[in-house]
Amino acid sequence: MEVSNALKRRRYDGDNQMEAEVDLSLLEALEKSQSAVDLLDLRTLKKLVLSFERRLKENIEARLKYPDQPERFADSEVELHEELEKLKILAGAPELYPELVNLNAIPSILNLLSHDNTDIAIDVVHLLEDLTDEDVLEDNDEPARILVDALIENNVLELLVQNLQRLSDKDPDEMSAIYNTLASIENMIKVKPAVAELVCERTKLLRWLLGKIKLREFDSNKQYASEILAILLQNCPANQKRLGQMNGVDVVLQAVAMYKSKDPKTSDEEEMLENLFDCLCCLLMPLENKERFVKAEGVELMIIIMKQKKSAYASAIRALDFSMTKYPPACERFVDVLGLKTAFAAFMGKIPVSKKNKKESYQEELEERLVSLIASLFVKCLCGILRGSRRERLLSKFVENECEKIDRLMELYIRYSDRVKAETQRLEQLELDDLEMDEEEKYNRRLESGLYTLQLIAVILGHLWCSEHPQMKARIELLLKQQKLTKNDIKDILQEYHDNIGDLDGAEEKERALTRIQKIIASF
């Protein structure tokens, strides 16, 4: 699965609004640095670090000497603040990052995240965000790696999150620092993806993020928290399981439930809702979290969201697809709470109309999700999970209204078959043009072009044929004849699907899947 890409960096102004202007503090630092503006070299770097260390030492001594007299060390903190501002110019010369590390300045800078004066800690947060900014580190992979490694070695993750917990959204400066803390963590993940698991293992960031998305009020930091949470969960089973153990499934469900009968008011709020569904779908990868989802009545909530036909409609279908894939209890619950009626209405194209919904890509994703969801139900049917009334209710959907859903299936079959044929021809032409491509790569390209959905459609048609229902079999044969196709065309697709079933879920599950498909092929 994929989830959504990260936002471009943005900042807050004093009124808690995003601003696109140049960072004024950075300009000020550039002006104060004088000659460093023209030439930022190793010598200038050493001067900057030496001056910073001197001011830091003076501040420590003043605080130790006059602990109960803030006015006696206030000047030293103003000077320390100015030195931290000057260090921001290093973002203009990332090639010097290795030298910054060699000068052993990183520990001194990071220790200030625990400074008693929150303003100093905030200065460090802004400095770290500038130094690790995506645009700054572009084309500077090695210096970036050296800097991030040094930061992590000196406990930047622990210190950032500890500082995060003392910041408040009620203060504009602290609100900005919260955003830049999350931005710094995201920047480090881009340089070193392992940071995503490290930060969750070593800190209480996941718990803080959960607390943030639980809030009813929307703000830009809640939006960013949802995005960071999605990034941490993406492709990281350890984080998915860790968050599940922290009651994360229930918290995310509560967060999306706020939009079951209303739409987001702004595009930013809409993006946050999409992030929350990304989080939910990532959480539904481990089996134990699927169980938590069903127990928390997640299936019922998704059906309610679909019935309300608000902006989260397609996201709810996606979450249902994830929950029901390879998890029979979710399939059973879905049938029991009358999900078939809602799902098949969508399958027949009865979806809410909006500007977004009119886009062809939106329609296609919805179709593919619904085909996957229905295929999951049929797999459980063949396994004997959906028995008796559940099985009959599923099959009856394909008989009602003169088998209109079989007509719809065949319509999708033809469309996706044409797309796969076009891609196959394109790949053959590339080979003629001497572009080498192995069989696995060609198969993956065809899967991306629609072969996977075509295979699932063939699986559903195969299950309908196996039901031995005379009306459904007659309809399938009629439609094949009208399209000048035969049962062998479906068998060929099923055979290729059979031959490429992997063992990602273990040897036993692979064997069961092979047996299921072989049984369908033999029935034609």
Side-chain angles (χ1 to χ4, degrees):
M1 66 166 289
E2 296 180 358
V3 294
S4 56
N5 294 326
L7 298 173
K8 289 293 288 180
R9 288 283 66 74
R10 293 179 290 182
R11 297 183 183 281
Y12 290 92
D13 63 14
D15 296 319
N16 295 350
Q17 301 296 318
M18 293 295 189
E19 65 175 357
E21 290 85 1
V22 177
D23 187 342
L24 296 179
S25 62
L26 185 54
L27 284 177
E28 186 182 342
L30 288 168
E31 290 171 1
K32 290 181 179 178
S33 61
Q34 297 174 352
S35 62
V37 177
D38 299 321
L39 181 63
L40 183 55
D41 55 15
L42 180 56
R43 182 180 177 186
T44 308
L45 172 63
K46 287 180 178 179
K47 284 183 178 180
L48 285 169
V49 170
L50 184 61
S51 180
F52 162 71
E53 294 284 3
R54 186 183 300 118
R55 297 304 183 193
L56 173 59
K57 182 181 177 183
E58 289 172 0
N59 178 245
I60 292 172
E61 290 174 348
R63 274 187 166 270
L64 288 173
K65 192 172 182 179
Y66 309 107
D68 301 320
Q69 298 175 269
E71 68 278 1
R72 302 295 293 270
F73 55 73
D75 288 345
S76 69
E77 285 180 12
V78 171
E79 292 168 347
L80 182 57
H81 160 78
E82 291 174 352
E83 292 302 324
L84 287 167
E85 288 296 306
K86 289 178 183 178
L87 288 176
K88 285 186 176 183
I89 66 167
L90 295 176
E95 66 276 5
L96 289 177
Y97 287 177
E99 298 301 332
L100 178 67
V101 172
N102 291 336
L103 291 170
N104 205 31
I106 299 300
S108 299
I109 293 171
L110 294 183
N111 284 338
L112 289 176
L113 286 168
S114 301
H115 199 281
D116 289 341
N117 185 343
T118 309
D119 290 340
I120 295 296
I122 289 174
D123 288 337
V124 176
V125 169
H126 293 319
L127 172 61
L128 290 173
E129 202 282 326
D130 282 335
L131 294 180
T132 60
D133 187 270
E134 180 182 11
D135 294 332
V136 169
L137 298 182
E138 190 176 5
D139 300 325
N140 288 281
D141 293 348
E142 187 60 18
R145 185 191 62 76
I146 291 172
L147 175 65
V148 171
D149 283 346
L151 291 171
I152 292 170
E153 186 179 332
N154 287 279
N155 304 317
V156 68
L157 301 175
E158 295 88 335
L159 291 166
L160 277 173
V161 176
Q162 285 171 16
N163 184 58
L164 187 63
Q165 292 170 334
R166 65 172 174 166
L167 300 177
S168 169
D169 281 318
K170 295 178 182 179
D171 180 281
D173 291 335
E174 293 186 13
M175 190 176 188
S176 175
I178 290 172
Y179 186 90
N180 281 323
T181 297
L182 298 178
S184 298
I185 292 171
E186 182 187 359
N187 292 340
M188 287 187 281
I189 291 172
K190 287 178 180 175
V191 174
K192 187 173 182 176
V195 171
E197 188 170 341
L198 280 176
V199 71
C200 297
E201 184 181 294
R202 296 181 181 181
T203 76
K204 295 180 180 179
L205 180 60
L206 281 180
R207 194 164 297 282
W208 185 90
L209 293 169
L210 282 180
K212 192 68 184 167
I213 66 170
K214 280 171 70 173
L215 300 176
R216 297 196 68 84
E217 299 79 14
F218 172 79
D219 61 38
S220 296
N221 277 346
K222 181 179 179 182
Q223 177 195 358
Y224 202 8
S226 69
E227 183 184 342
I228 294 297
L229 188 58
I231 290 170
L232 294 174
L233 294 173
Q234 186 179 12
N235 302 322
C236 188
N239 287 349
Q240 294 162 6
K241 293 177 181 178
R242 188 176 283 116
L243 194 66
Q245 293 164 358
M246 296 165 60
N247 200 35
V249 174
D250 198 52
V251 172
V252 176
L253 283 173
Q254 289 176 36
V256 301
M258 297 179 197
Y259 297 90
K260 66 183 178 184
S261 56
K262 69 174 185 177
D263 284 331
K265 295 178 181 178
T266 65
S267 59
D268 284 344
E269 192 171 2
E270 185 176 346
E271 186 167 339
M272 181 202 68
L273 183 56
E274 290 176 5
N275 290 337
L276 290 172
F277 272 102
D278 286 343
C279 293
L280 184 58
C281 291
C282 287
L283 277 171
L284 287 170
M285 298 297 281
L287 190 64
E288 58 265 39
N289 286 344
K290 292 177 189 282
E291 181 180 355
R292 294 182 176 107
F293 178 82
V294 172
K295 285 183 177 178
E297 299 185 352
V299 173
E300 290 88 333
L301 176 60
M302 297 305 114
I303 292 173
I304 289 171
I305 291 173
M306 287 180 65
K307 286 180 177 178
Q308 293 294 326
K309 296 184 178 181
K310 298 297 181 181
S311 64
Y313 181 86
S315 297
I317 293 174
R318 182 161 64 108
L320 282 170
D321 181 28
F322 272 86
S323 70
M324 292 164 65
T325 301
K326 300 176 185 176
Y327 192 60
C331 296
E332 293 178 337
R333 179 68 66 85
F334 181 79
V335 176
D336 290 345
V337 297
L338 309 181
L340 291 175
K341 181 179 179 181
T342 308
F344 276 102
F347 179 69
M348 293 303 295
K350 298 172 183 177
I351 61 174
V353 178
S354 70
K355 287 183 179 179
K356 181 176 73 171
N357 297 3
K358 289 180 180 178
K359 293 180 181 178
E360 187 176 341
S361 59
Y362 176 92
Q363 302 273 4
E364 284 186 1
E365 183 183 355
L366 212 56
E367 286 173 356
E368 291 169 6
R369 290 291 177 192
L370 287 163
V371 166
S372 175
L373 186 153
I374 294 168
S376 291
L377 288 170
F378 271 106
V379 168
K380 304 315 163 194
C381 183
L382 190 66
C383 292
I385 303 298
L386 294 183
R387 294 191 276 272
S389 63
R390 287 183 184 130
R391 182 177 184 275
E392 291 307 315
R393 283 156 67 184
L394 175 60
L395 291 174
S396 69
K397 285 293 175 182
F398 289 88
V399 180
E400 65 185 20
N401 297 328
E402 299 181 352
C403 300
E404 65 174 3
K405 294 170 185 69
I406 296 179
D407 294 352
R408 172 69 168 157
L409 264 182
M410 191 56 68
E411 174 195 328
L412 294 174
Y413 178 93
I414 297 302
R415 189 198 309 161
Y416 280 89
S417 179
D418 288 345
R419 283 171 53 178
V420 172
K421 286 175 184 174
E423 178 65 11
T424 302
Q425 291 171 1
R426 191 184 73 83
L427 293 174
E428 288 173 353
Q429 184 60 47
L430 288 176
E431 284 194 320
L432 290 175
D433 295 338
D434 295 328
L435 182 67
E436 292 186 8
M437 196 178 302
D438 61 30
E439 290 302 313
E440 183 179 358
E441 186 177 355
K442 284 194 290 185
Y443 182 68
N444 287 334
R445 293 278 188 95
R446 292 171 65 234
L447 283 176
E448 291 170 4
S449 73
L451 177 59
Y452 180 65
T453 299
L454 179 63
Q455 290 171 340
L456 292 182
I457 294 169
V459 168
I460 296 170
L461 288 169
H463 279 297
L464 294 174
W465 187 269
C466 286
S467 71
E468 297 294 335
H469 194 291
Q471 189 177 352
M472 287 195 284
K473 291 182 75 170
R475 192 69 174 191
I476 292 170
E477 286 186 313
L478 173 64
L479 293 170
L480 287 173
K481 186 176 181 180
Q482 287 177 345
Q483 297 295 333
K484 297 180 180 179
L485 299 171
T486 68
K487 289 180 287 184
N488 285 334
D489 291 295
I490 296 177
K491 287 173 71 174
D492 289 344
I493 293 169
L494 290 171
Q495 189 63 53
E496 185 177 26
Y497 179 58
H498 172 279
D499 295 345
N500 286 278
I501 290 175
D503 56 2
L504 187 63
D505 299 311
E508 288 185 11
E509 181 55 37
K510 177 182 179 179
E511 194 58 38
R512 280 195 289 267
L514 289 170
T515 303
R516 284 198 298 267
I517 301 303
Q518 194 57 53
K519 182 178 178 180
I520 295 173
I521 293 172
S523 73
F524 273 102

